[in-house]
Amino acid sequence: MKYIDEFRSHDLAEKLATAITHEAATGRDYHLMEFCGGHTHAIFRYGVQDLMPPNVHFVHGPGCPVCVLPVRRLDDAVELAERHGVILCTYGDMMRVPGTKQRSLIRAKADGADIRMVYSTQDALKIARDNPDREVVFFAIGFETTTPPTAVAIVQAQREGITNFSVFCNHVLTPAAIQHILQSPEVRELGTVTIDGFLGPSHVSSVIGSQPYEFFAEEFQKPVVIAGFEPLDVMQSTLMLLRQINEQRHEVENEYTRVVKPEGNLKAQALVGDVFELRSEFEWRGLGTVPYSALKIRESYAAFDAEKRFALSEKVSREVKSCECPAILRGAKKPTDCKLFGTVCTPDNPMGSCMVSSEGACAAYWTYGRFRTNADGTAATKEAAE
Amino acid sequence: MNAFEPDFATSAGAVDMTHGSGGRAMARLIRDLFHKHLGNPHLAAGNDGAVLTLPPGRVVVSTDGHVISPLFFPGGDIGCLAVHGTVNDVAMMGAKPLYLTAGFILEEGLPLADLERIIRSMAVASREAGVAIATGDTKVVEKGKGDGVFITTTGVGVVADGIELSGDRARPGDKVLVSGTLGDHGVAILSKRQNLEFETEICSDTTALHELVAAMLAAVPGIRVLRDPTRGGLAATLNEIAQQSQAGVILDERAIPIRPDVAAACELLGLDPLYVANEGKLIAICAAQDAERLLDVMRSHPHGKNAAIVGEVVEDKHAMIQMRTKFGGARVVDWIAGEQLPRIC
Amino acid sequence: MCLALPARVISIDDGEMAVVALEGIKKRISLALVEDVSVGDYVLVHVGYALHKVSEEEAERTLALMSKAGVLSAEIEEIEGAEA
């Protein structure tokens, strides 16, 4: 596969590993936060950590849209399907995420709710066209990458006069979340989380460009390298970050130039600006309420806003007590610090979102990292040694 | 045939409740569809059961329920799948499959033309496999209570003395082989799922493997484990074997045969091909010194021409499946949690 | 986050739809979010939409950069090896 296989080459990986080991041979530790779940997934799936010197640490960030969606919003989606009787269209990622009392979309579906998995907003529109006598709601989640396709669907629905289609909008913004993490007491005052630099979002940046990161590279004096999601991209970006840190620079650099331009995708940005506007605040699982961190549908498209169309009830939504997803999402704890990890909470019976999404730190630890040993039988992870 | 009875009109019409009532409609359905295509002396006897004479050896019995959507898919349909699936389960015990039984649950409204197509496909598959469908049953459920048709088949076979295949017999040092490319069936099915459609040449690999198994056992009677990696793919099946044998497996990702288009489809949908279903592949575990010989035999058989040695059994108290990645790292290949769902992130 | 893959555009409809190919897999996607895409271009596909064109030139530049890091490290190893 062109542009994929060559960025998974073992030979280049070994070369880069040598270069990284050399660059990191300074006697200090390096803590790099990979904001995106895509990076977390690549690090675990390809075993990138195995090629890193022991003083280079990856801190997993909150960049998994499934993980950061608060339970309340999931409960709302279940309510739309159950109480309002709509056809709820969702990306497959959301199906197993547990809501209050472990209720997930897959369970609601088993109980008779009409929940359909779609691959694209185009599929949701088609379902609306095919079922003119039913209300069809698209459960929109995701960062800046996934927002423009939702905008296209809304504009298209208006153009085609599809009146039974609406969107339950949960789109969130990356720069606001990164800034929030950098301002958190754990990073700023308590020092419990050390972040020396960021592996910046790859596909988000293809839409928003590299400019939005300039502000906090400067303000917080942290280097950012926008990194592709293939394992070699992660390694090359790590090398670039180490160089910046060693040279005490804090710039925004772009490793993923084959897709990311400084200005991003202007057409997509314009479309998103036309359909959506900022929410003054939005709750993130793990980060709490983050100002100006999410989007809502503009008044001019209010007819397509499921939150306006359906009266959602007040509800008390609860996460499972002692689930450490929130701290894990902030980088303050590791999955293995959670009492539930691997005991009560497993991918078969997830208690929190981080165990559901294949990008969630807990699922990645469980699936790819738990008890991992090297081919010679020695422990490859601290967990395996203990 | 009675001159007052018109021919059974299979090109038009659909299954209705009378087809399961025990009355004339049911008798005609059985005679004009099932007996016509699957015909053999056991069925023709028209008794409640079949009396079978088995050659000497130990008897192997295996049963499998078949539910699939869509009923017809590239490379096959539920009919041949119901034959192959059970023939393979019997074969994985080292037995020569001899007879099948088939139970049908038909949903009201299933077009009779579809049913005939499915039964014809079963007939061809069972004839090719050399197994007779000796007895069967048909029930009809109301519309909405089934998915067109469900087929449960039970297979009977005989295993020769000296063949001891079991999931608990893998030992550290043994080699793990697969008979061909992985994930073809699952991807072929997904390509036709509503809302996921993509165009591809990929066909289901559904096929009967007992002849391949016979050739393998003739060359290496000491094979320790045979299993077909159906639901949950290679990953699920190896995890089962690892648990049963209380040993680990280390896979070499480079050696695992996967078609480039299957790999691409999996990338597109965010799936891992190691967890995707197969219907015409097997996993074999044998002693290291037998591995090359077994591989040669497999590769010289049409159903094993892409066979490969993909890993090794190791001592591991956690009974984990691990993999050396192409990239040069290592990862755990765990049990899957539920069905793999296409994902966007 | 955001599963997206580079795929080659093999045909474009009159409207905003196109067919992309990835190793024999063909998928209909929307071009509503991109401009100036022609048949033969590689685009990054996410949830059935092309998000961005993929630059061949930049891809090669990045790979060259990676190789260079490798060359440098090989030289370093040689020097260190000689010193030891």
Short mmCIF file of all heavy atoms in Angstrom, two decimals, chain A residues 183-220:
data_model
loop_
_atom_site.label_atom_id
_atom_site.label_comp_id
_atom_site.label_asym_id
_atom_site.label_seq_id
_atom_site.Cartn_x
_atom_site.Cartn_y
_atom_site.Cartn_z
N GLN A 183 -2.33 23.85 31.27
CA GLN A 183 -2.68 24.76 32.36
C GLN A 183 -3.10 24.01 33.62
O GLN A 183 -3.33 24.63 34.65
CB GLN A 183 -3.84 25.68 31.92
CG GLN A 183 -3.37 26.80 31.03
CD GLN A 183 -4.52 27.55 30.40
OE1 GLN A 183 -5.59 26.99 30.18
NE2 GLN A 183 -4.29 28.82 30.11
N SER A 184 -3.20 22.68 33.53
CA SER A 184 -3.71 21.94 34.67
C SER A 184 -2.72 21.98 35.82
O SER A 184 -1.51 22.09 35.60
CB SER A 184 -3.98 20.48 34.28
OG SER A 184 -2.74 19.81 34.12
N PRO A 185 -3.21 21.94 37.06
CA PRO A 185 -2.30 21.99 38.21
C PRO A 185 -1.27 20.86 38.18
O PRO A 185 -0.14 21.05 38.62
CB PRO A 185 -3.23 21.86 39.42
CG PRO A 185 -4.58 21.54 38.89
CD PRO A 185 -4.60 21.89 37.45
N GLU A 186 -1.66 19.70 37.64
CA GLU A 186 -0.72 18.57 37.63
C GLU A 186 0.53 18.90 36.82
O GLU A 186 1.61 18.42 37.11
CB GLU A 186 -1.39 17.32 37.05
CG GLU A 186 -2.29 16.61 38.03
CD GLU A 186 -3.68 16.35 37.48
OE1 GLU A 186 -4.09 17.08 36.56
OE2 GLU A 186 -4.35 15.43 37.99
N VAL A 187 0.36 19.69 35.78
CA VAL A 187 1.50 20.05 34.95
C VAL A 187 2.18 21.30 35.50
O VAL A 187 3.38 21.38 35.66
CB VAL A 187 1.06 20.28 33.49
CG1 VAL A 187 2.21 20.82 32.65
CG2 VAL A 187 0.53 18.98 32.90
N ARG A 188 1.35 22.33 35.84
CA ARG A 188 1.90 23.64 36.15
C ARG A 188 2.46 23.74 37.56
O ARG A 188 3.55 24.27 37.77
CB ARG A 188 0.81 24.70 35.98
CG ARG A 188 0.67 25.12 34.54
CD ARG A 188 0.44 26.59 34.45
NE ARG A 188 1.21 27.16 33.36
CZ ARG A 188 0.93 28.33 32.81
NH1 ARG A 188 -0.07 29.05 33.24
NH2 ARG A 188 1.69 28.78 31.83
N GLU A 189 1.67 23.26 38.56
CA GLU A 189 2.08 23.49 39.94
C GLU A 189 2.60 22.22 40.62
O GLU A 189 3.69 22.19 41.16
CB GLU A 189 0.90 24.04 40.76
CG GLU A 189 0.45 25.42 40.29
CD GLU A 189 -1.04 25.59 40.43
OE1 GLU A 189 -1.61 25.07 41.40
OE2 GLU A 189 -1.65 26.24 39.56
N LEU A 190 1.79 21.16 40.54
CA LEU A 190 2.14 19.97 41.33
C LEU A 190 3.33 19.23 40.73
O LEU A 190 4.07 18.56 41.44
CB LEU A 190 0.93 19.01 41.39
CG LEU A 190 -0.34 19.65 41.94
CD1 LEU A 190 -1.50 18.68 41.83
CD2 LEU A 190 -0.15 20.07 43.39
N GLY A 191 3.48 19.37 39.42
CA GLY A 191 4.60 18.68 38.78
C GLY A 191 4.45 17.17 38.74
O GLY A 191 5.43 16.45 38.55
N THR A 192 3.23 16.68 38.98
CA THR A 192 3.04 15.22 38.95
C THR A 192 3.07 14.69 37.53
O THR A 192 3.29 13.51 37.31
CB THR A 192 1.72 14.80 39.61
OG1 THR A 192 0.71 15.71 39.19
CG2 THR A 192 1.83 14.83 41.12
N VAL A 193 2.79 15.57 36.56
CA VAL A 193 2.89 15.15 35.17
C VAL A 193 3.97 16.00 34.51
O VAL A 193 3.89 17.23 34.54
CB VAL A 193 1.56 15.35 34.42
CG1 VAL A 193 1.71 14.93 32.97
CG2 VAL A 193 0.45 14.57 35.09
N THR A 194 4.97 15.34 33.98
CA THR A 194 6.01 16.08 33.27
C THR A 194 5.76 15.92 31.79
O THR A 194 5.56 14.81 31.30
CB THR A 194 7.40 15.49 33.58
OG1 THR A 194 7.47 15.29 34.99
CG2 THR A 194 8.51 16.39 33.11
N ILE A 195 5.71 17.03 31.08
CA ILE A 195 5.60 16.97 29.63
C ILE A 195 6.70 17.86 29.05
O ILE A 195 6.72 19.06 29.28
CB ILE A 195 4.22 17.44 29.14
CG1 ILE A 195 3.11 16.55 29.73
CG2 ILE A 195 4.15 17.40 27.62
CD1 ILE A 195 1.71 17.05 29.44
N ASP A 196 7.61 17.23 28.31
CA ASP A 196 8.70 18.00 27.73
C ASP A 196 8.40 18.42 26.30
O ASP A 196 9.07 19.30 25.76
CB ASP A 196 9.99 17.16 27.75
CG ASP A 196 10.41 16.80 29.17
OD1 ASP A 196 10.43 17.70 30.02
OD2 ASP A 196 10.69 15.61 29.42
N GLY A 197 7.43 17.77 25.70
CA GLY A 197 7.09 18.12 24.33
C GLY A 197 5.90 17.31 23.86
O GLY A 197 5.49 16.35 24.53
N PHE A 198 5.34 17.72 22.72
CA PHE A 198 4.13 17.07 22.20
C PHE A 198 4.38 16.46 20.82
O PHE A 198 4.96 17.09 19.95
CB PHE A 198 3.01 18.09 22.00
CG PHE A 198 2.28 18.43 23.26
CD1 PHE A 198 2.64 19.54 24.01
CD2 PHE A 198 1.23 17.64 23.69
CE1 PHE A 198 1.97 19.85 25.17
CE2 PHE A 198 0.54 17.95 24.86
CZ PHE A 198 0.92 19.06 25.60
N LEU A 199 3.89 15.24 20.65
CA LEU A 199 3.69 14.72 19.30
C LEU A 199 2.32 15.27 18.89
O LEU A 199 1.30 14.92 19.49
CB LEU A 199 3.65 13.19 19.30
CG LEU A 199 4.96 12.45 19.55
CD1 LEU A 199 4.69 10.96 19.75
CD2 LEU A 199 5.92 12.65 18.39
N GLY A 200 2.30 16.14 17.92
CA GLY A 200 1.05 16.83 17.56
C GLY A 200 0.17 15.98 16.67
O GLY A 200 0.65 15.09 15.97
N PRO A 201 -1.13 16.27 16.69
CA PRO A 201 -2.11 15.51 15.92
C PRO A 201 -1.78 15.47 14.43
O PRO A 201 -1.32 16.47 13.88
CB PRO A 201 -3.41 16.29 16.13
CG PRO A 201 -3.21 17.05 17.38
CD PRO A 201 -1.75 17.36 17.45
N SER A 202 -2.04 14.35 13.79
CA SER A 202 -1.72 14.29 12.37
C SER A 202 -2.92 14.62 11.51
O SER A 202 -2.90 15.59 10.76
CB SER A 202 -1.14 12.93 12.00
OG SER A 202 -1.93 11.89 12.49
N HIS A 203 -4.00 13.84 11.62
CA HIS A 203 -5.10 14.08 10.70
C HIS A 203 -5.92 15.30 11.08
O HIS A 203 -6.47 15.99 10.23
CB HIS A 203 -5.95 12.81 10.56
CG HIS A 203 -5.16 11.69 9.94
ND1 HIS A 203 -5.36 10.37 10.20
CD2 HIS A 203 -4.11 11.75 9.08
CE1 HIS A 203 -4.48 9.65 9.52
NE2 HIS A 203 -3.72 10.46 8.85
N VAL A 204 -5.99 15.60 12.38
CA VAL A 204 -6.60 16.87 12.81
C VAL A 204 -5.88 18.02 12.12
O VAL A 204 -6.49 18.94 11.59
CB VAL A 204 -6.51 17.02 14.35
CG1 VAL A 204 -6.66 18.47 14.76
CG2 VAL A 204 -7.57 16.17 15.04
N SER A 205 -4.55 17.93 12.10
CA SER A 205 -3.76 19.02 11.54
C SER A 205 -3.93 19.14 10.03
O SER A 205 -3.75 20.22 9.47
CB SER A 205 -2.29 18.84 11.89
OG SER A 205 -2.15 18.69 13.29
N SER A 206 -4.30 18.03 9.36
CA SER A 206 -4.54 18.13 7.92
C SER A 206 -5.71 19.08 7.66
O SER A 206 -5.77 19.73 6.63
CB SER A 206 -4.81 16.75 7.30
OG SER A 206 -6.12 16.32 7.61
N VAL A 207 -6.60 19.22 8.64
CA VAL A 207 -7.73 20.14 8.50
C VAL A 207 -7.38 21.53 9.06
O VAL A 207 -7.56 22.53 8.38
CB VAL A 207 -9.00 19.58 9.21
CG1 VAL A 207 -10.13 20.61 9.18
CG2 VAL A 207 -9.43 18.28 8.56
N ILE A 208 -6.85 21.57 10.29
CA ILE A 208 -6.65 22.90 10.91
C ILE A 208 -5.28 23.49 10.62
O ILE A 208 -5.03 24.66 10.89
CB ILE A 208 -6.90 22.87 12.44
CG1 ILE A 208 -5.84 22.07 13.19
CG2 ILE A 208 -8.30 22.34 12.76
CD1 ILE A 208 -5.97 22.15 14.71
N GLY A 209 -4.36 22.69 10.06
CA GLY A 209 -3.02 23.21 9.76
C GLY A 209 -2.13 23.19 10.98
O GLY A 209 -2.51 22.70 12.05
N SER A 210 -0.93 23.74 10.82
CA SER A 210 0.03 23.72 11.93
C SER A 210 0.01 25.02 12.73
O SER A 210 0.53 25.09 13.83
CB SER A 210 1.44 23.46 11.40
OG SER A 210 1.78 24.44 10.44
N GLN A 211 -0.63 26.05 12.19
CA GLN A 211 -0.63 27.36 12.87
C GLN A 211 -1.25 27.37 14.27
O GLN A 211 -0.71 28.01 15.16
CB GLN A 211 -1.31 28.41 11.98
CG GLN A 211 -0.39 28.91 10.87
CD GLN A 211 -1.15 29.54 9.72
OE1 GLN A 211 -2.38 29.51 9.69
NE2 GLN A 211 -0.41 30.10 8.79
N PRO A 212 -2.38 26.65 14.49
CA PRO A 212 -3.02 26.75 15.80
C PRO A 212 -2.13 26.34 16.96
O PRO A 212 -2.42 26.68 18.11
CB PRO A 212 -4.22 25.79 15.68
CG PRO A 212 -4.51 25.74 14.24
CD PRO A 212 -3.19 25.85 13.56
N TYR A 213 -1.05 25.61 16.69
CA TYR A 213 -0.19 25.17 17.80
C TYR A 213 0.88 26.20 18.16
O TYR A 213 1.53 26.09 19.19
CB TYR A 213 0.48 23.84 17.44
CG TYR A 213 -0.49 22.78 16.96
CD1 TYR A 213 -0.58 22.47 15.60
CD2 TYR A 213 -1.32 22.11 17.84
CE1 TYR A 213 -1.48 21.51 15.15
CE2 TYR A 213 -2.23 21.14 17.40
CZ TYR A 213 -2.30 20.86 16.05
OH TYR A 213 -3.19 19.92 15.60
N GLU A 214 1.05 27.20 17.30
CA GLU A 214 2.11 28.20 17.52
C GLU A 214 1.96 28.86 18.88
O GLU A 214 2.93 29.04 19.61
CB GLU A 214 2.08 29.29 16.43
CG GLU A 214 2.23 28.79 15.00
CD GLU A 214 3.69 28.48 14.63
OE1 GLU A 214 4.57 28.75 15.46
OE2 GLU A 214 3.92 27.92 13.53
N PHE A 215 0.69 29.15 19.22
CA PHE A 215 0.43 29.91 20.45
C PHE A 215 0.99 29.19 21.68
O PHE A 215 1.74 29.75 22.45
CB PHE A 215 -1.06 30.18 20.62
CG PHE A 215 -1.43 30.56 22.02
CD1 PHE A 215 -1.12 31.83 22.52
CD2 PHE A 215 -2.07 29.65 22.88
CE1 PHE A 215 -1.44 32.18 23.82
CE2 PHE A 215 -2.38 30.00 24.18
CZ PHE A 215 -2.06 31.27 24.65
N PHE A 216 0.64 27.92 21.84
CA PHE A 216 1.08 27.33 23.11
C PHE A 216 2.51 26.80 23.08
O PHE A 216 3.12 26.62 24.12
CB PHE A 216 0.10 26.33 23.71
CG PHE A 216 -0.38 25.26 22.82
CD1 PHE A 216 0.44 24.22 22.48
CD2 PHE A 216 -1.67 25.31 22.34
CE1 PHE A 216 -0.02 23.22 21.67
CE2 PHE A 216 -2.13 24.31 21.53
CZ PHE A 216 -1.31 23.27 21.19
N ALA A 217 3.07 26.60 21.89
CA ALA A 217 4.50 26.29 21.85
C ALA A 217 5.25 27.48 22.47
O ALA A 217 6.17 27.32 23.27
CB ALA A 217 4.95 26.06 20.43
N GLU A 218 4.78 28.66 22.10
CA GLU A 218 5.41 29.89 22.59
C GLU A 218 5.05 30.13 24.06
O GLU A 218 5.91 30.28 24.92
CB GLU A 218 4.92 31.05 21.70
CG GLU A 218 5.53 32.39 22.02
CD GLU A 218 7.06 32.38 22.02
OE1 GLU A 218 7.64 31.70 21.16
OE2 GLU A 218 7.65 33.02 22.91
N GLU A 219 3.73 30.12 24.34
CA GLU A 219 3.23 30.47 25.67
C GLU A 219 3.76 29.51 26.74
O GLU A 219 4.15 29.92 27.81
CB GLU A 219 1.69 30.43 25.63
CG GLU A 219 0.98 30.59 26.97
CD GLU A 219 1.03 32.02 27.52
OE1 GLU A 219 1.34 32.93 26.72
OE2 GLU A 219 0.75 32.21 28.72
N PHE A 220 3.75 28.21 26.44
CA PHE A 220 4.15 27.23 27.45
C PHE A 220 5.56 26.72 27.23
O PHE A 220 6.03 25.84 27.96
CB PHE A 220 3.15 26.06 27.47
CG PHE A 220 1.75 26.49 27.82
CD1 PHE A 220 0.83 26.80 26.83
CD2 PHE A 220 1.36 26.61 29.15
CE1 PHE A 220 -0.45 27.21 27.16
CE2 PHE A 220 0.07 27.01 29.48
CZ PHE A 220 -0.83 27.32 28.48
#
